[in-house]
Amino acid sequence: MKYPPEIRHTCGILHHVLRQAAMVPGVPEGFQSMIDVDILRTDDRIRSRFLNLTRSRFGRDLEEGSPDLTSIAACARRLQVIPQIQSPLSRQVLRPGVPGGGRLLMFPGMHGTIAAFQRLAQFVPESMEVVGWEHLGLDERTDIPRNLEDIVTRVVEVEIMQGLDLDAPIHVFGFCVGGSIGQAVLRRIAPTGGKLIILDGHPAESIAACPRWRRSIGIARAWRHALNGGVVERRLVRIGARQLYVLDRHRTGRCDAELLLYRSGAPLSLGPLGAEDWEPHVRSVKEISLSNLGHVDLFRLGQEQRIVSAFAAA
């Protein structure tokens, strides 16, 4: 679905938040590729959940003032002008687990959101707690992280505070740039174990090898549009630009973990990607082709079951 370019990233997040709000917990089969925002006027449960999830994600209350929820774009424009009333939540438990069952950490792609992972979380073995991490920096009262170690430290400290059992299975799923972030987190938490699952994600060295002029063109275009969007959209673009800056300067350490690398059929902006790119950084790599899917189709088309075996074997 196409959204106005000046609020495209805000709209994209809200699209997934709306689908997350409409999802019936424990029923992943109830996928809808398209969902109309009109449902917010006909289903009070979904409306309440959507507003709560949006408040948690952006720290802003869509009901403040005129609650115009006639479209995703209207909601996105509203978010640009209402004040931040609380710190956006960076961590969300997508599904609880059982004691000793282990924990799965999930990291989204650039400008993405963990709301897109809600359906995938329902397929993961029931024993594992599933936790998603948004990209840090949306809180306008804090700085955007300037290096990957700051991001990793924050994630690890919070996970330990939240009772992470280092003797139980620890697994990480990363999509796109979330793959590099996830690998660095797993390396810190479980340097001699754990399991890594990546979809279309390059190691940082591949990102650094991408010509800076190519990255600069994309960032400049996104920033030009965001200038006409609003405070939230500009912040999202800044977070994306900072992530490229951070990964450009990061060097991937070796993690003694098994990696399942899923590769869609889409050409990637950061260049070719294969098992050989990750082999120096993990114990072993198994590459699995999803050649008939585009870069985001796994989530956009409800094809999460295509990678369920990775989690069942975890």
Side-chain angles (χ1 to χ4, degrees):
M1 180 176 292
K2 287 192 174 183
Y3 293 112
E6 69 275 12
I7 50 172
R8 179 168 64 92
H9 299 107
T10 312
C11 286
I13 291 174
L14 286 174
H15 171 81
H16 287 293
V17 169
L18 179 58
R19 277 178 41 183
Q20 182 184 22
M23 190 171 297
V24 179
V27 187
E29 293 77 11
F31 172 78
Q32 300 179 58
S33 60
M34 298 295 293
I35 184 167
D36 197 311
V37 78
D38 283 344
I39 199 171
L40 299 178
R41 293 195 290 272
T42 60
D43 191 314
D44 290 340
R45 181 192 66 85
I46 294 177
R47 176 188 173 90
S48 176
R49 183 162 165 75
F50 173 74
L51 291 172
N52 287 336
L53 288 169
T54 300
R55 187 181 303 113
S56 296
R57 177 67 181 95
F58 294 98
R60 289 167 162 81
D61 188 355
L62 272 177
E63 287 195 302
E64 181 174 320
S66 174
D68 181 10
L69 306 180
T70 57
S71 68
I72 290 291
C75 294
R77 294 193 191 282
R78 185 72 186 148
L79 285 173
Q80 312 300 324
V81 297
I82 56 179
Q84 179 180 313
I85 59 173
Q86 65 185 51
S87 296
L89 292 182
S90 300
R91 181 185 189 271
Q92 182 181 350
V93 177
L94 297 176
R95 203 205 60 203
V98 300
R103 188 173 296 177
L104 168 65
L105 306 179
M106 309 182 86
F107 299 89
M110 186 175 297
H111 304 304
T113 174
I114 57 177
F117 296 155
Q118 184 65 65
R119 186 168 185 266
L120 177 58
Q122 307 307 307
F123 286 112
V124 175
E126 294 183 0
S127 60
M128 297 197 79
E129 180 182 33
V130 183
V131 174
W133 274 89
E134 303 283 12
H135 295 300
L136 304 181
L138 189 57
D139 189 344
E140 61 187 19
R141 292 171 286 194
T142 63
D143 293 333
I144 300 173
R146 299 189 66 86
N147 60 74
L148 189 56
E149 289 306 309
D150 288 346
I151 297 173
V152 171
T153 297
R154 168 76 184 282
V155 171
V156 172
E157 287 179 349
V158 172
E159 289 305 321
I160 291 175
M161 287 175 56
Q162 294 296 324
L164 179 67
D165 184 352
L166 298 178
D167 294 322
I170 300 172
H171 306 292
V172 169
F173 172 74
F175 173 50
C176 192
V177 298
S180 285
I181 297 172
Q183 192 267 359
V185 168
L186 185 61
R187 182 171 180 263
R188 179 83 68 87
I189 291 179
T192 59
K195 186 171 187 178
L196 184 62
I197 303 147
I198 293 177
L199 169 62
D200 280 359
H202 292 78
E205 286 71 16
S206 298
I207 297 172
C210 179
R212 291 191 178 185
W213 63 263
R214 184 188 300 172
R215 287 177 274 156
S216 298
I217 289 175
I219 293 170
R221 184 184 300 115
W223 185 249
R224 185 172 65 252
H225 290 312
L227 288 175
N228 297 317
V231 61
V232 172
E233 186 72 13
R234 289 194 292 271
R235 190 80 177 185
L236 290 172
V237 171
R238 285 183 60 201
I239 291 170
R242 183 65 61 80
Q243 285 174 340
L244 290 178
Y245 172 89
V246 163
L247 292 172
D248 183 38
R249 287 154 179 77
H250 178 68
R251 293 298 171 262
T252 306
R254 182 174 174 80
C255 180
D256 188 23
E258 172 191 357
L259 167 61
L260 289 180
L261 176 64
Y262 286 90
R263 181 68 177 89
S264 76
L268 303 177
S269 60
L270 295 175
L273 172 65
E276 64 277 4
D277 295 298
W278 277 104
E279 284 171 351
H281 311 300
V282 293
R283 182 176 69 243
S284 64
V285 184
K286 181 180 180 181
E287 183 178 350
I288 303 171
S289 174
L290 302 172
S291 58
N292 63 337
L293 292 180
H295 184 51
V296 299
D297 284 352
L298 191 82
F299 312 107
R300 185 174 66 89
L301 301 180
Q303 295 293 303
E304 290 91 344
Q305 66 272 20
R306 299 276 297 273
I307 67 171
V308 169
S309 60
F311 302 98

